[in-house]
Amino acid sequence: MQTNKRLDQVFKSAFPVPFDDNSRFVFFSDVHRGDDSLSDEFGRNRHIYEHALDHYYRHDYTYIEVGDGDELWEHPKYEHILSAHRSTFDLLKKYYDSGRLLMLFGNHNIQLRDPNYVKKNLYYTYDEQSDEMVPLFPGITVHEALILKHRITNQEIFVVHGNQGDMLNDQFWWVSRFMIQHVWRFLHLVGVNYAASPSKNKYKRHKVEINYNKWNERHGIMLICGHTHRPKFPKPDEPAYFNTGCCMHPRGITCLELTDGEISYVSWRVHSKPDGTMYIRKTVIQGPKPLSCFYKKEPNKEGLTGE
């Protein structure tokens, strides 16, 4: 199925989220929380990620996870991921309890599109100290996509993981999952990369980005994605396709901030002082830029009907 048609389908069913110039959102994608084994690439950045989450929570941000928050292809038992990263989920629970958590599924945690799976694994979790099930995200809905719509300007921002239209990671995701779970999961330990992943395959990554740029040019709607693991912050005269990057990079994590009507691309990394003390620092790599720079007031929405 063509990417454009697939995105049109998802756009029509995207969950609406109103916002204004006082709203604050942070977008993370491709966290890939695993089971804390040697193949869990999130483990090396866990402390950076938790520090960033604590910062955004204290500054009243809504956390939006743009898919692949969990690595359910390599580690299919959700309870193992919960157990391995209890402190991370405790932070996410604070967001959820305050009404500031929005979660999307991607290809690597596509199981979360099943409400019954979500109810079984995310509503409650086992607490070892009390030896009973306690609330985690009771009643949560995991979406495929969001539409953020400005209350005043009506500007729309389409938030979607980015695997839509990528055949091996969308229509035939089960093939990729089988290969990763039964083959590449073990080869991963010795450094072999999965060739079907756009994050490891330059050709596939560029193909995904070209298709998403074309969708933006056709419809004039700002896009925020993940999936490729490559950050993207366009210039005002370029297609308004943004990418969060990922939380698996050896040198730190990246995200997008939407703050007071402006968007920024941000990096969080470990740095050192002359005395050898290590600390985590936030750096704004690009932006902030007003959302109005990426707003076409009369976009060409031809094709949104899927025709």
Side-chain angles (χ1 to χ4, degrees), residues 53-69:
L53 257 61
D54 180 66
H55 166 85
Y56 290 120
Y57 181 81
R58 289 185 288 104
H59 288 82
D60 297 320
Y61 280 77
T62 292
Y63 175 91
I64 298 180
E65 192 161 87
V66 193
D68 282 4

Side-chain angles (χ1 to χ4, degrees), residues 35 57 68 83 89 92-93 107 155 194 241-242 244 255 260-261 298:
D35 64 355
Y57 181 81
D68 282 4
S83 177
F89 282 96
L92 292 174
K93 178 173 171 54
N107 49 308
Q155 180 175 5
Y194 182 56
Y241 160 72
F242 293 77
T244 63
C255 62
D260 305 327
E298 295 182 358

Side-chain angles (χ1 to χ4, degrees), residues 66-302:
V66 193
D68 282 4
D70 312 296
E71 180 47 72
L72 290 173
W73 281 7
E74 287 194 44
H75 316 292
K77 292 187 179 296
Y78 207 96
E79 62 266 28
H80 293 173
I81 297 174
L82 281 168
S83 177
H85 300 296
R86 177 65 61 182
S87 58
T88 297
F89 282 96
D90 286 343
L91 280 167
L92 292 174
K93 178 173 171 54
K94 289 173 64 177
Y95 279 93
Y96 185 74
D97 290 345
S98 61
R100 292 190 279 137
L101 175 68
L102 291 165
M103 189 176 289
L104 306 186
F105 61 80
N107 49 308
H108 280 255
N109 60 351
I110 199 169
Q111 293 94 318
L112 299 185
R113 70 179 180 180
D114 180 357
N116 291 323
Y117 183 95
V118 171
K119 182 177 181 180
K120 178 181 177 181
N121 292 280
L122 270 67
Y123 279 22
Y124 293 87
T125 183
Y126 175 71
D127 182 75
E128 293 183 354
Q129 292 185 345
S130 63
D131 192 28
E132 61 183 7
M133 301 298 289
V134 296
L136 182 59
F137 310 133
I140 192 172
T141 299
V142 181
H143 307 282
E144 183 168 10
L146 306 175
I147 289 289
L148 277 61
K149 187 167 184 177
H150 198 284
R151 292 186 176 95
I152 306 300
T153 67
N154 292 321
Q155 180 175 5
E156 293 177 325
I157 304 174
F158 185 27
V159 186
V160 65
H161 179 59
N163 62 299
Q164 289 76 9
D166 180 1
M167 186 172 293
L168 276 175
N169 291 294
D170 189 11
Q171 291 92 343
F172 296 104
W173 63 267
W174 49 273
V175 175
S176 292
R177 184 183 68 173
F178 177 87
M179 294 301 296
I180 285 179
Q181 191 169 326
H182 298 286
V183 180
W184 266 273
R185 177 184 179 185
F186 306 100
L187 295 178
H188 188 186
L189 295 174
V190 293
V192 178
N193 293 325
Y194 182 56
S197 170
S199 66
K200 309 295 184 183
N201 185 313
K202 184 181 295 186
Y203 169 76
K204 285 184 65 65
R205 184 169 64 229
H206 285 305
K207 183 178 179 181
V208 169
E209 291 171 348
I210 288 170
N211 288 336
Y212 277 65
N213 280 332
K214 287 180 178 178
W215 191 91
N216 170 263
E217 290 178 321
R218 185 178 184 190
H219 303 302
I221 298 172
M222 186 173 158
L223 267 169
I224 292 179
C225 303
H227 188 52
T228 66
H229 293 200
R230 186 166 84 157
K232 183 71 170 67
F233 192 93
K235 298 177 181 178
D237 59 343
E238 294 179 338
Y241 160 72
F242 293 77
N243 198 295
T244 63
C246 70
C247 295
M248 302 165 61
H249 197 279
R251 292 190 295 272
I253 66 176
T254 59
C255 62
L256 293 169
E257 293 180 6
L258 196 165
T259 310
D260 305 327
E262 297 182 322
I263 189 165
S264 305
Y265 160 50
V266 172
S267 171
W268 292 82
R269 294 188 178 186
V270 173
H271 296 263
S272 62
K273 297 179 181 180
D275 64 359
T277 304
M278 309 294 286
Y279 69 99
I280 299 169
R281 186 174 74 195
K282 168 188 166 182
T283 304
V284 177
I285 306 298
Q286 290 178 275
K289 289 287 186 182
L291 291 178
S292 57
C293 293
F294 308 99
Y295 182 31
K296 295 180 181 179
K297 292 185 179 181
E298 295 182 358
N300 173 20
K301 294 188 180 181
E302 178 186 357

